[in-house]
Amino acid sequence: MPASASTAGGPTDAALTEGPARPPVSRRRALRLFGTAVAVATAATAGVAVPPHAAGAARGPGRPAGPRVEALIARLTLDEKISLLHGAEDPRALGQAGYIPGVPRLGIPELRLADGPAGVRVKEPATALPAPVLLASTFDPSLARAYGKVIGREGRALGQDVLLSPMCNLIRTPYAGRNFETFGEDPLLSADMVSEEIRGIQGEGLVATVKHFAMNNQEKDRNTIDVYADEQTMHETELRAFEAAIAAGAGSVMGAYNKVNGTFACESKELLADILRERWGFDGWVMTDWFAAHSTVASITAGLDMEMPGGIYFGDALKKAVRGGSVPESAVDRSVRRLLSVMDRFGLLDGSIGPRPARDAKAGARTALEIAKAGATLLHNRRGTLPLQGHAARSIAVIGPTGKQPFVSGGGSAHVIPDHADTPLDAIRARAGRGARISYAMGEDLYGKALPEGALTPGFDSEGQGVAAGATWTYDGTLDVDEAGEWTFVIHYSGAERPKVHLDGEELFPLAPGVGEFFSGGLINAAPDGLSVRRRTLDVAEGGRRLTITAKGGDKGQIFRIRRVTAATRAQDVAEAVRAARRAHSVVLFAYEDATEGMDRTTIALPGHQEALIKAVAAVNPRTAVVLNTSSATSMPWLARTGAVLQMYYPGQEGAAATTAVLFGDCDPGGRLTQTFPLDDATHPTAGDPVRYPGVNGRQEYTEGVHIGYRWYAAEEKRSLFPFGHGLSYTSFHYSELDVREEDGGLDVSFTVRNTGRRAGVDVAQVYVGPSRELSVEQAELALAGYRRLTLRAGERRRVTVKVARRSLSSWDSKRHDWVLGTGRRAVQVGASAGDLRLRTVAKVGR
């Protein structure tokens, strides 16, 4: 299906449609069979063959595996079985996250498991794709399939067998550190995107792992937080995308760190057995997140199959439990059967999967560029600031650190070593052409300025102090602070062990707790020359301060630098940016926020002193376009002063080219927000309620119920900065002629869209439904039920039909433990966002 005419609410929703009160066994079988049929039908529409592993096997849990698998289980020793159920050290590590050794004597191959939310994360270069949140901003499931195909092929080419992705946890709070790794706040859109990405990944022979199951919506206290959510809330929000992933044939599921309703997710019978296997018919295997196991007997009894990355609970402890009788060997066989069945389905046991392909870096780059352009989201555009044309395109000041330093991806398991990454400054200069005046000013210093000459007594080379291999270098001296106030100390270092630096006895750069030391940001923790970077901000009194340093050379030697940022250096940087802005006709100001796994944000404001920078620049040049390389929602107290705001998230290795294409109008900004942007930190669904976020005494409650994201704004009648689905085009569109008819248990919503501008452009038409007054359960006042991405020529009009599936008209009834159709009169609205609904009617939904 071409990008210009993708359909939502189709195959994915259809695969999830269930009638009320069906027997559990028939539901499982029907769901699995239908999920397979949908995968085949969808691929047939696209003109591609569907390998069996891409669609999943048409069987339910508990049934015998194929004869090859059963024969292997009969020949495996208990030790060999257990070796397949936990991670081990890879003797030939490729930089991947995990390893399963296999059983060579029986021809069971080893498995390598790699992170891969935005590309394959190993020690070799790979295509660095745009962040999943930017992919979802395209509102185009066919691009999710293409995204998955790139990752699937490259994973196989780079020696991997299992991908630890995609992530489909919903964006519930704007602070969550991994919001950029997932798709958004809406259950339907997330379901559509994750199912198509899985089909793309597995169509190339790589096993996809959907994660993190479930209710893993924050990084703060992620290992211990106990998430309480009622049955309806779980099924209607978080679980919908996971269900779609299972229907799409996902081979593996990763359990979450957190507890759910009092029980760790990786030992929750409700999640792993009752929902995942009994209700949804999942027949693959469930692994833990890394170090997320907490037990042996409780976990394997609940339905956990594999502990990663080691074998604390599923190694010797599991063997002892079997020998002692607390775990029957049949439970071990069950977990092994699940793993081997997926391996068999993918042709890994008989070699039918074929040889590994070569990487196609050029094809990967083309897909990365297409998606980055398609997901670019224009939030604000006053008086035609964008696109840059005529004189505006010939005199430009580029400002901001990420204008000169490419921001490819976020930190943690999503960070990829790209094939290449051009800087936006270089791309803008190339596009502007010969004779254009393109200047640059940093504006906000990421890496610090050299210490003033004579500031250290005794002196040493603070811009490049070397330490020989095996040696230890020490310093005990004085730093002369000539300017009291806030100082940010910055250390750059090359060694495996960071130098220890103390100021007046206080360590400036201690090791971060937990995974913080390993999962650092994708931008600010590495200098342009590759040295690692850490920072510490504190108030410093004027005068001589004692400075001590101990640096070890290690095996290979080390070099380090000590720098600083002060009020005076910041003022100089801002003054330089203001001078550049005054001299130029237009300004493109790049702003950043560096998110990472393992750490939540503390505010939705831009970090550092970027707000002051934007205000100062926009004050002297109102034709300032701000490009945001941020992970999630951002507050904008400076918005009214700027000419335009372009949201590019973390755009991948082709981000510079995509950003430049949109800035100059070579393509229309085709993205739409998949999350609501709040006005500030006080006005969003989890604001001011610590029970909702981050939790109180280790317990968090989803008291907002089904009112997640934009649904909360509608229910509470709250104003946002930008609503869900918002995004501007360089042209304009008109909606008319709304007609709604019942069809196949759902609704066919038809309307006409016309491009009323003078150039071709992209529109994303969105269909929302209101509640059924005939249902007594809690319902959203406004819920996305379908959408259509359109590319229309100037003056072109097109009649569009969006199918709203039965599932999107149904609610979860906790008394019946099933979906029930919301019958009766239902409001149906069509528009350009949740806050820009232009057509409205009332439809009758039957039984």
Side-chain angles (χ1 to χ4, degrees):
M1 185 178 300
S4 60
S6 63
T7 303
T12 299
D13 249 16
L16 301 180
T17 302
E18 300 168 7
R22 294 181 184 174
V25 174
S26 63
R27 178 191 298 115
R28 289 201 309 269
R29 294 182 64 186
L31 178 62
R32 174 58 74 187
L33 286 166
F34 199 74
T36 303
V38 164
V40 173
T42 302
T45 301
V48 295
V50 179
H53 51 260
R59 64 177 189 83
R63 296 193 176 196
R68 183 183 296 108
V69 170
E70 296 298 345
L72 285 171
I73 292 174
R75 296 176 63 192
L76 285 166
T77 67
L78 178 60
D79 285 338
E80 288 170 336
K81 293 173 186 177
I82 290 174
S83 74
L84 294 172
L85 302 185
H86 66 81
E89 186 175 347
D90 188 350
R92 295 173 286 107
L94 304 172
Q96 81 280 2
Y99 173 75
I100 301 296
V103 183
R105 77 176 183 89
L106 296 179
I108 298 175
E110 59 193 355
L111 293 178
R112 289 185 170 86
L113 301 82
D115 290 319
V120 183
R121 184 175 181 257
V122 293
K123 63 184 178 182
E124 299 295 326
T127 300
L129 291 159
V133 70
L134 195 154
L135 166 67
S137 299
T138 67
F139 278 71
D140 191 340
S142 72
L143 286 178
R145 173 82 73 98
Y147 190 97
K149 283 178 66 66
V150 171
I151 296 176
R153 180 186 177 106
E154 294 208 341
R156 290 266 298 137
L158 291 166
Q160 305 304 301
D161 307 290
V162 181
L163 184 78
L164 305 173
S165 188
M167 173 181 173
C168 65
N169 302 101
L170 293 184
I171 294 178
R172 176 176 175 263
T173 174
Y175 304 124
R178 302 182 80 170
N179 280 350
F180 68 95
E181 288 189 55
T182 192
F183 301 111
E185 68 189 21
D186 181 73
L188 170 64
L189 179 63
S190 296
D192 289 343
M193 301 305 285
V194 75
S195 57
E196 286 306 298
E197 184 180 343
I198 285 171
R199 290 179 179 119
I201 293 165
Q202 296 195 159
E204 299 297 314
L206 193 69
V207 181
T209 305
V210 64
K211 63 183 187 183
H212 309 85
F213 192 62
M215 318 308 285
N216 182 185
N217 304 114
Q218 67 186 61
E219 292 300 282
K220 183 174 175 56
D221 302 326
R222 67 177 183 175
N223 294 302
T224 57
I225 194 71
D226 193 354
V227 177
Y228 277 78
D230 63 65
E231 191 177 304
Q232 182 190 5
T233 297
M234 289 199 298
H235 279 278
E236 289 195 28
T237 61
E238 176 88 349
L239 296 187
R240 185 170 185 176
F242 283 100
E243 185 179 1
I246 301 311
S252 179
V253 170
M254 181 186 290
Y257 287 114
N258 51 281
K259 293 180 181 179
V260 178
N261 295 329
T263 304
F264 279 109
C266 287
E267 54 186 39
S268 169
K269 178 180 179 295
E270 178 189 14
L271 290 176
L272 304 185
D274 300 345
I275 294 175
L276 186 60
R277 298 194 184 278
E278 291 303 313
R279 170 162 283 279
W280 296 345
F282 178 62
D283 55 11
W285 88 91
V286 179
M287 70 178 79
T288 67
D289 205 335
W290 268 224
F291 303 104
H294 293 274
S295 64
T296 300
V297 178
S299 294
I300 198 166
T301 302
L304 183 69
D305 302 308
M306 180 183 289
E307 178 189 3
M308 293 302 294
I312 297 173
Y313 297 99
F314 274 33
D316 290 341
L318 179 56
K319 181 178 179 180
K320 183 178 179 180
V322 173
R323 295 296 191 213
S326 57
V327 172
E329 189 166 351
S330 61
V332 174
D333 290 348
R334 180 185 63 189
S335 292
V336 172
R337 181 176 294 110
R338 291 165 177 168
L339 172 65
L340 293 183
S341 293
V342 176
M343 294 176 68
D344 194 31
R345 176 178 133 200
F346 278 73
L348 292 167
L349 296 183
D350 63 358
S352 61
I353 192 171
R356 294 187 182 275
R359 280 193 66 215
D360 189 343
K362 290 183 178 179
R366 286 194 298 270
T367 299
L369 177 60
E370 180 185 7
I371 291 170
K373 291 193 294 186
T377 307
L378 184 61
L379 300 178
H380 169 69
N381 196 22
R382 187 177 58 182
R383 293 194 295 271
T385 299
L386 294 179
L388 299 173
Q389 295 177 330
H391 188 49
R394 305 288 290 167
S395 173
I396 306 169
V398 177
I399 295 171
T402 48
K404 197 173 185 180
Q405 176 79 357
F407 201 157
V408 176
S409 59
S413 59
H415 193 62
V416 178
I417 301 173
D419 286 305
H420 66 269
D422 296 335
T423 74
L425 176 61
D426 288 342
I428 289 171
R429 280 177 171 158
R431 176 60 180 81
R434 184 175 298 178
R437 292 185 292 111
I438 311 298
S439 62
Y440 174 75
M442 179 168 52
E444 174 89 352
D445 193 347
L446 291 180
Y447 305 110
K449 302 284 194 299
L451 294 174
E453 187 175 350
L456 294 168
T457 306
F460 71 92
D461 186 4
S462 62
E463 276 297 285
Q465 178 63 49
V467 185
T472 298
W473 183 89
T474 62
Y475 176 84
D476 190 343
T478 301
L479 171 65
D480 182 23
V481 177
D482 59 357
E483 176 194 354
E486 181 185 282
W487 278 50
T488 297
F489 289 91
V490 186
I491 186 169
H492 302 205
Y493 62 98
S494 64
E497 184 175 341
R498 183 159 66 244
K500 294 185 180 299
V501 182
H502 290 80
L503 185 73
D504 290 339
E506 180 178 0
E507 187 171 0
L508 292 181
F509 312 108
L511 294 177
V515 298
E517 192 58 42
F518 307 100
F519 285 159
S520 55
L523 171 74
I524 64 174
N525 286 331
D529 62 359
L531 268 62
S532 298
V533 177
R534 293 295 186 271
R535 297 163 185 78
R536 176 68 180 280
T537 300
L538 67 165
D539 287 330
V540 181
E542 188 175 355
R545 309 264 69 85
R546 186 184 178 192
L547 184 71
T548 62
I549 304 172
T550 301
K552 295 182 178 180
D555 295 337
K556 300 179 180 179
Q558 169 156 221
I559 189 170
F560 71 91
R561 298 187 283 260
I562 301 288
R563 292 181 172 179
R564 95 296 187 204
V565 178
T566 67
T569 67
R570 283 196 302 273
Q572 293 169 5
D573 290 335
V574 171
E576 180 189 4
V578 168
R579 287 193 296 271
R582 278 199 178 103
R583 291 193 296 260
H585 181 279
S586 306
V587 174
V588 178
L589 193 156
F590 287 82
Y592 75 93
E593 175 257 320
D594 198 13
T596 184
E597 177 180 356
M599 183 184 303
D600 280 352
R601 306 158 75 188
T602 57
T603 176
I604 62 172
L606 290 170
H609 296 79
Q610 294 180 94
E611 288 189 353
L613 171 65
I614 295 171
K615 290 176 181 177
V617 168
V620 301
N621 192 330
R623 295 177 299 278
T624 295
V626 177
V627 177
L628 293 173
N629 291 132
T630 57
S631 67
S632 188
T634 303
S635 58
M636 303 179 195
W638 38 263
L639 180 65
R641 308 183 187 202
T642 62
V645 179
L646 176 64
Q647 175 62 259
M648 291 300 298
Y649 298 104
Y650 302 152
Q653 68 180 44
E654 305 301 322
T659 302
T660 301
V662 175
L663 289 173
F664 284 82
D666 299 333
C667 66
D668 205 42
R672 302 296 184 264
L673 289 181
T674 68
Q675 58 193 298
T676 309
F677 274 38
L679 289 169
D680 50 40
D681 286 304
T683 54
H684 57 79
T686 60
D689 188 346
V691 172
R692 287 189 183 178
Y693 175 86
V696 175
N697 297 324
R699 174 175 172 137
Q700 181 185 68
E701 298 180 18
Y702 284 29
T703 55
E704 71 274 20
V706 300
H707 304 293
I708 190 170
Y710 66 90
R711 300 178 179 185
W712 178 84
Y713 287 88
E716 299 293 326
E717 298 182 341
K718 297 287 188 181
R719 191 166 65 91
S720 64
L721 181 63
F722 296 113
F724 174 88
H726 172 73
L728 303 176
S729 168
Y730 290 148
T731 185
S732 55
F733 299 92
H734 180 261
Y735 293 70
S736 63
E737 303 172 316
L738 176 62
D739 179 66
V740 181
R741 298 182 182 182
E742 280 197 271
E743 187 73 26
D744 298 329
L747 298 174
D748 280 0
V749 181
S750 300
F751 51 93
T752 299
V753 182
R754 181 166 62 95
N755 182 344
T756 55
R758 297 182 178 181
R759 56 174 289 164
V762 175
D763 187 42
V764 177
Q766 301 157 45
V767 177
Y768 294 83
V769 297
S772 164
R773 302 307 175 190
E774 297 184 5
L775 286 182
S776 59
V777 300
E778 184 180 26
Q779 297 172 74
E781 290 298 315
L782 193 69
L784 183 71
Y787 51 88
R788 176 71 64 84
R789 181 183 175 93
L790 303 164
T791 299
L792 299 178
R793 299 183 305 274
E796 182 182 1
R797 56 183 288 146
R798 187 177 303 171
R799 189 70 178 165
V800 176
T801 298
V802 173
K803 291 185 174 294
V804 175
R806 181 185 180 97
R807 169 59 64 85
S808 291
L809 299 170
S810 301
S811 296
W812 183 267
D813 187 333
S814 297
K815 294 180 180 179
R816 300 179 65 182
H817 307 295
D818 212 339
W819 294 97
V820 292
L821 182 65
T823 56
R825 293 167 61 83
R826 306 283 296 269
V828 177
Q829 299 185 78
V830 178
S833 75
D836 183 10
L837 298 171
R838 305 177 186 181
L839 303 177
R840 187 182 190 280
T841 190
V842 174
K844 180 72 181 300
V845 177
R847 298 181 184 277

